[in-house]
Amino acid sequence: MSARDALAGPWDVIVIGGGITGAGILLESARRGLKALLVEQRDFAWGTSSRSSKLVHGGLRYLKEGQFALTRESVHEREHLLRQAAGLVEPQSFAFGDYVGRKPGKRAFLLGLAIYDRMAGQRGRHYFSRDEFVAMAPNVAVDGLQGGMVYNDAKTDDARLVLRVLQEARRHGGVAVNYMAVDSLLHERDAVGEAAGEVRGVRLLDGLDGTRQEVRARLVINATGAWADRLSARPSGAGHRLRPLRGSHLVLPAWRLPLAQAISLMHPVDGRPVFAYPWEGVTLVGTTDVDHRDDLSREAAITRAECDYLMAALHAQFPQLNLTDDDIIASYAGVRPVVDSGQADPSKETRDHAISLDHGLLTITGGKLTTFRVIALDALKLAATKLPELQGRLTPQPVFVATPPLRYTPDLPPGQALRLQGRYGAAAQALIDAAQPGELEVIPGTETIWAQLRWGARGEDVCKLEDLLLRRTRLGIQLRGGGAGILARIRAICQPELGWSDQRWEAEQAYYLALWAAHYNPPKQ
């Protein structure tokens, strides 16, 4: 029986939103014995959770804003994920040049790193001489360079992290369905049959076949991120006001911007932090931080001004590389669900989360990728006022259970065993076993193997071609033209697994390429 056939309920908890926050809540609910359902109006991780900076970090810059508790919490969760999700969450060193007259200066930066280390229970050397720094970070600008600082954080594949958390939730009995929208909330009825009082369920609209059904639950949780304001228990709304902020990124080939370490810099125009870092066979550059005033129902996309902003940072830090727009493979943009505190500068808004409970609808606003487990547990602590069986059962647990080591496979490229086990957990061996001849090879320009496409098409809720190329794998942002040059081979592997007719495949391919051109191809000058 498919997940779509198991919606009737009733449920203890219905979670609305299939990003990292919703996935974390589904996992923490299901592992504590609750009957829990998650519904997502688009694809899992369609929104912010596949368009982040892909960093699992403590947030060194939050120290500057005095957000010590958020930084400490984030550092703790980073260390937990590095232990629990090896191969999916990976260490990443960052280098920051110490230039004459550039802020923050050496003393302030090293003080921040000392606090950072103390929070992580670590100690290490952070400052290096000019020659040492240039050896570690070749191609950086050398004019005015006095030396540099190096520190450690972590990175991940954000969409695969969401999918791994959902996989774990399902192992505990949770149910997750994509392309299932909440049409409206269901309320208790008063004496004359009018909707009133507590939220008691949702009316669902199936995005694939257009059918509707009502589903009841003891508690409904709004984990829709930047879209949270659109769902309210009362017409007047309640809780915290959101400020949607767009973060845009550029993707360049690793050979064109080769980095042994991530490079952290302050933008020469406004002093905001910008990063360039190696990721999945390419180099990512980001991020911007601007108010997003476009329609949230449309995919976010980088603007020409944002592209120029990020290119200006690259020209300042890597002048000898002469990077141009022609070097850009792809771009992507995500909308962050930031709580509005009235700051004039978007970058000064807190990345902490807020949770409210209003007439049976629990809403999460704000938060960041790194702290999804903390957010989920905080949500369930408030949920315990409605679900008393949760009381006393909210001690943090490891995100993932240990999985057995993979069998030795001689054709698997070096490093892939750990990478696949991190991304697919207990399903990694089955993925390898399903590979046909040649499918354990790495797709050039990426760290993805062909077999991941077969596995995604076979059993990972792929409903559209974009699901496969932008979220089950990340080929859509790793290859020029969104991978148009290898679509014939992708079709040969995946069309039979998906059971699509030639007409369906050609329609999906045309839609995907148009989507990529509109939202992942940076605008020309």
Side-chain angles (χ1 to χ4, degrees):
M1 183 173 67
S2 72
R4 281 182 139 69
D5 298 323
L7 292 175
W11 302 89
D12 293 319
V13 173
I14 294 175
V15 182
I16 309 170
I20 191 62
T21 299
I25 294 169
L26 182 70
L27 170 58
E28 299 299 342
S29 299
R31 74 180 353 154
R32 287 166 175 82
L34 295 182
K35 189 176 180 184
L37 168 69
L38 179 147
V39 291
E40 162 57 46
Q41 66 174 341
R42 305 257 190 152
D43 187 27
F44 302 128
W46 178 87
T48 313
S49 295
S50 62
R51 307 160 194 260
S52 74
S53 293
K54 312 192 189 316
L55 298 177
V56 175
H57 63 133
L60 187 60
R61 73 180 181 90
Y62 303 147
L63 292 176
K64 179 184 175 184
E65 308 298 331
Q67 298 177 41
F68 292 96
L70 176 60
T71 306
R72 184 184 303 107
E73 187 175 76
S74 300
V75 167
H76 181 269
E77 291 302 299
R78 179 197 69 191
E79 295 302 301
H80 175 78
L81 287 168
L82 281 168
R83 293 190 300 270
Q84 282 285 304
L88 174 56
V89 179
E90 303 170 298
Q92 177 62 63
S93 59
F94 284 75
F96 183 89
D98 176 21
Y99 291 90
V100 174
R102 186 177 296 183
K103 293 182 179 181
K106 172 182 174 181
R107 181 174 298 177
F109 205 99
L110 290 177
L111 175 60
L113 291 179
I115 298 171
Y116 215 45
D117 278 356
R118 186 176 182 85
M119 289 176 174
Q122 300 171 351
R123 293 186 64 183
R125 179 189 177 193
H126 291 297
Y127 195 83
F128 295 85
S129 69
R130 183 181 189 275
D131 290 344
E132 289 174 313
F133 188 80
V134 170
M136 291 187 292
N139 298 316
V140 299
V142 295
D143 288 348
L145 182 66
Q146 303 173 104
M149 284 71 74
V150 175
Y151 63 97
N152 293 315
D153 256 319
K155 61 185 176 182
T156 191
D157 179 337
D158 47 4
R160 289 296 339 171
L161 179 60
V162 173
L163 293 166
R164 178 78 195 279
V165 173
L166 288 174
Q167 175 184 318
E168 191 75 6
R170 285 165 164 163
R171 193 183 72 83
H172 289 281
V175 175
V177 183
N178 56 349
Y179 294 99
M180 187 66 67
V182 170
D183 195 37
S184 60
L185 300 174
L186 300 177
H187 295 258
E188 290 178 334
R189 298 281 171 174
D190 61 18
V192 294
E194 295 293 330
E198 297 285 291
V199 172
R200 284 290 181 254
V202 295
R203 184 174 290 106
L204 297 175
L205 172 62
D206 193 317
L208 301 182
D209 64 18
T211 58
R212 285 180 165 83
Q213 63 179 303
E214 294 185 355
V215 182
R216 302 284 172 173
R218 297 165 63 197
L219 180 68
V220 177
I221 298 180
N222 175 6
T224 56
W227 295 261
D229 282 347
R230 297 185 171 193
L231 199 64
S232 176
R234 291 178 290 173
S236 60
H240 302 271
R241 182 170 174 268
L242 280 174
R243 180 179 183 177
L245 298 180
R246 186 173 64 250
S248 297
H249 304 74
L250 300 176
V251 185
L252 283 77
W255 66 267
R256 194 66 183 88
L257 182 52
L259 297 175
Q261 311 197 50
I263 302 297
S264 175
L265 65 136
M266 308 309 285
H267 197 282
V269 174
D270 59 8
R272 277 194 64 258
V274 176
F275 304 100
Y277 42 98
W279 180 81
E280 287 289 296
V282 295
T283 300
L284 295 186
V285 180
T287 174
T288 61
D289 205 10
V290 298
D291 286 301
H292 183 75
R293 296 186 173 89
D294 294 344
D295 185 350
L296 285 172
S297 65
R298 299 180 65 249
E299 292 214 25
I302 195 171
T303 63
R304 183 65 239 178
E306 289 174 289
C307 185
D308 291 342
Y309 176 88
L310 294 176
M311 290 300 290
L314 292 180
H315 294 155
Q317 188 67 69
F318 306 101
Q320 64 271 44
L321 292 181
N322 297 313
L323 296 167
T324 70
D325 280 10
D326 292 337
D327 295 312
I328 302 171
I329 294 173
S331 63
Y332 67 91
V335 182
R336 305 183 186 98
V338 175
V339 177
D340 189 355
S341 63
Q343 295 282 349
D345 182 355
S347 296
K348 293 188 182 298
E349 295 284 18
T350 180
R351 266 48 176 180
D352 209 347
H353 60 278
I355 302 171
S356 60
L357 180 60
D358 178 46
H359 284 64
L361 179 68
L362 192 153
T363 299
I364 301 99
T365 50
K368 56 201 291 277
L369 181 77
T370 308
T371 56
F372 72 88
R373 182 178 65 152
V374 172
I375 296 171
L377 291 174
D378 283 351
L380 292 186
K381 287 173 186 174
L382 185 54
T385 61
K386 298 286 185 181
L387 305 170
E389 63 268 38
L390 286 175
Q391 294 174 9
R393 300 179 57 205
L394 294 174
T395 302
Q397 299 179 28
V399 175
F400 303 124
V401 297
T403 56
L406 302 178
R407 295 192 302 272
Y408 173 67
T409 305
D411 293 338
L412 198 62
Q416 283 290 335
L418 180 62
R419 180 179 177 277
L420 293 175
Q421 194 155 27
R423 282 162 171 74
Y424 297 91
Q429 188 63 60
L431 182 155
I432 295 169
D433 294 343
Q436 300 298 306
E439 290 181 5
L440 294 181
E441 296 174 2
V442 174
I443 299 171
T446 78
E447 294 178 2
T448 303
I449 62 173
W450 294 98
Q452 290 179 251
L453 288 160
R454 181 177 298 281
W455 187 256
R458 177 177 293 185
E460 289 198 312
D461 304 299
V462 169
C463 299
K464 300 181 180 182
L465 186 57
E466 63 168 287
D467 304 341
L468 183 67
L469 299 181
L470 291 173
R471 289 171 288 277
R472 305 305 180 276
T473 69
R474 314 313 299 275
L475 299 176
I477 60 172
Q478 293 169 313
L479 300 174
R480 288 194 181 276
I486 61 169
L487 279 176
R489 183 169 180 185
I490 294 174
R491 179 176 187 171
I493 293 170
C494 298
Q495 185 177 347
E497 298 285 357
L498 291 165
W500 290 353
S501 66
D502 288 344
Q503 183 180 12
R504 170 75 184 276
W505 181 276
E506 287 158 11
E508 288 287 344
Q509 180 171 302
Y511 178 85
Y512 165 71
L513 292 174
L515 175 74
W516 190 91
H519 298 282
Y520 296 87
N521 190 22
K524 302 302 180 184
Q525 287 184 325

